Amino acid sequence: MAAKTFCIGLMSGTSLDGVDGVITDFSGTPSSAYIPFPATLKNELLALQSPGTNEIHREALAANQLAHLYADCVTELLRVSGVASSRVRAIGAHGQTIRHLPAEGYTRQINNPSLLAELTGIDVIADFRSRDIAAGGQGAPLVPAFHQSVFGSDSHARVIVNIGGISNISVLRADGSVTGFDTGPGNVLMDAWIHQHLGKTYDDDGQWAASGSVIDSLVTRMLDEEFFRQVPPKSTGRDLFHLLWLNERLAAFPEARPQDVQASLSALTARCIADAVRTYAADCDAVFVCGGGAHNSHLMQCLSDLIPQPVESTASLGIPPTHVEALAFAWLAQRFCDRQAGNLPSVTGAKGERLLGALYPA
Ligand SMILES: Nc1ncnc2c1ncn2[C@@H]1O[C@H](COP(=O)(O)OP(=O)(O)OP(=O)(O)O)[C@@H](O)[C@H]1O
Ligand SMILES: [Mg+2]
């Protein structure tokens, strides 16, 4: 029987856009698949971000639906790659974050890994974040260890920025040391704002933002947020950055045009990232961007305007920006299978290295 050399990574992040999947044997080019969320599931996942009626039942039903979409993504990955399921060692399934409150000792990614194992016949590793929080860490970001393993260089200090719903940076130094943290909003506020005004799920290429003018005093007002003053380790999510947060800050700007607000939100995302680079990685050689935000050329231009170092997509290091986070969860699944730690205490603040995840056998 052929060796089980492949792992699958399934990531569905804060943006609530859908599932990014990859299948890889960590040598050749991975195959990828993307399954968008149906609007009904997206709306339910959004509703589950805040307290509501009969949450436990609704959460369980949403988790089942998610497991079916994850299974569809696995089927598609096996189809496009031509890899037999018997050659897959494990699926790393992140689940959907509906609460991230490390200060209160928990984070919750809804998922039904038992159902996913049943539907696919493949071992599933899930719940990657809880153990790091149990060890006193933030449980996030978890991707810097993977970033180090694929993008680390012994001659260059590099920063990797993932711009998903939330943005996080990994600072990879030439001596092998790694730091990283969530910088704040990535696309989440821009997505919410364009949805409210134009009914679109995102601002394609940042064109709407580019049509507006940045309101500097609004950006300053938004930057006056306690999270931005906290020193790392730190992590955040929709628990903090949501439309209500934005509307509270907009109250002082009743005349602001919607496209100017979008321009200001794009500037906010770029400012938070640029400030993080200046404060924690001023000596880096280059900044590489992954996540959906890498496809927003207006945002990429805002970053280039603020950051003195070259700003490029991770594609220039050989990995397309939308594959990076899913690959990280394939890598974390492999780490679990090899009984190797997945967290970096220098990033999350955990008391030590820990094995991340729990096994749901096929
Ligand atoms: N062509 C594009 N133009 C502008 N924005 C885009 C484009 N493509 C994707 N995006 C943005 O990227 C988002 C999706 O990014 P991604 O999937 O990396 O985030 P995520 O699901 O929150 O993941 P994670 O939590 O792992 O970072 C979309 O919601 C959208 O805002
Ligand atoms: Mg996504």
Side-chain angles (χ1 to χ4, degrees):
M1 201 175 92
K4 288 182 187 266
T5 46
F6 288 86
C7 283
I8 286 174
L10 300 176
M11 180 65 200
S12 52
T14 331
S15 298
L16 298 176
D17 56 317
V19 187
D20 284 303
V22 293
I23 181 165
T24 177
D25 64 358
F26 303 99
S27 59
T29 309
S31 296
S32 65
Y34 174 72
I35 310 275
F37 286 153
T40 46
L41 178 61
K42 178 177 176 161
N43 290 339
E44 181 64 345
L45 292 171
L46 201 54
L48 286 165
Q49 306 282 328
S50 7
T53 313
N54 206 8
E55 278 169 297
I56 295 176
H57 178 66
R58 288 169 41 219
E59 187 220 284
L61 294 184
N64 287 352
Q65 206 184 335
L66 187 68
H68 280 279
L69 286 183
Y70 278 3
D72 291 347
C73 193
V74 170
T75 303
E76 181 63 5
L77 287 168
L78 297 174
R79 190 188 68 77
V80 295
S81 65
V83 173
S85 63
S86 58
R87 297 200 56 204
V88 182
R89 204 174 175 197
I91 298 168
H94 177 265
Q96 193 65 49
T97 300
I98 54 164
R99 296 287 190 287
H100 182 70
L101 297 167
E104 301 198 40
Y106 79 98
T107 183
R108 197 60 93 228
Q109 285 72 50
I110 70 168
N111 203 349
N112 188 340
S114 297
L115 179 56
L116 183 58
E118 191 66 31
L119 292 170
T120 61
I122 300 172
D123 283 1
V124 176
I125 318 297
D127 189 21
F128 288 94
R129 301 189 187 275
S130 293
R131 183 60 191 269
D132 185 83
I133 292 182
Q138 291 286 314
L142 293 183
V143 289
F146 171 72
H147 289 165
Q148 164 68 7
S149 89
V150 288
F151 299 129
S153 154
D154 51 19
S155 52
H156 299 287
R158 291 174 169 161
V159 171
I160 310 298
V161 184
N162 169 47
I163 310 181
I166 297 297
S167 290
N168 54 275
I169 70 164
S170 301
V171 182
L172 314 175
R173 301 200 176 280
D175 67 4
S177 62
V178 183
T179 51
F181 55 92
D182 286 352
T183 61
N187 296 300
V188 68
L189 297 174
M190 292 189 281
D191 285 355
W193 188 249
I194 196 167
H195 188 255
Q196 177 171 305
H197 286 272
L198 303 182
K200 297 181 178 175
T201 49
Y202 64 89
D203 184 5
D204 192 13
D205 213 20
Q207 288 175 33
W208 194 42
S211 74
S213 305
V214 175
I215 306 167
D216 288 323
S217 49
L218 173 59
V219 178
T220 305
R221 171 85 184 81
M222 292 192 288
L223 283 168
D224 184 28
E225 157 61 51
E226 212 260 325
F227 177 79
F228 300 129
R229 286 190 289 275
Q230 283 170 23
V231 291
K234 60 178 179 174
S235 60
T236 188
R238 281 183 183 268
D239 311 84
L240 175 61
F241 294 110
H242 42 54
L243 260 184
L244 200 62
W245 181 92
L246 174 59
N247 286 331
E248 280 167 14
R249 278 135 196 97
L250 277 175
F253 301 85
E255 307 296 326
R257 296 185 311 162
Q259 63 271 41
D260 296 344
V261 173
Q262 188 76 348
S264 306
L265 290 172
S266 188
L268 173 70
T269 293
R271 263 294 294 274
C272 297
I273 294 166
D275 287 352
V277 172
R278 194 181 52 249
T279 308
Y280 295 97
D283 56 343
C284 75
D285 298 304
V287 174
F288 298 92
V289 181
C290 61
H295 297 297
N296 179 334
S297 61
H298 175 69
L299 180 60
M300 291 293 280
Q301 188 58 52
C302 293
L303 281 170
S304 292
D305 292 345
L306 292 172
I307 296 174
Q309 291 89 344
V311 177
E312 297 168 38
S313 146
T314 54
S316 54
L317 293 176
I319 305 189
T322 40
H323 295 177
V324 177
E325 303 303 284
L327 272 170
F329 284 88
W331 184 85
L332 284 166
Q334 190 193 44
R335 298 286 293 185
F336 180 95
C337 294
D338 292 337
R339 298 298 185 268
Q340 289 180 311
N343 64 337
L344 289 175
S346 62
V347 172
T348 64
K351 280 184 292 218
E353 293 188 344
R354 294 291 186 272
L355 190 61
L356 302 183
L359 168 65
Y360 293 74

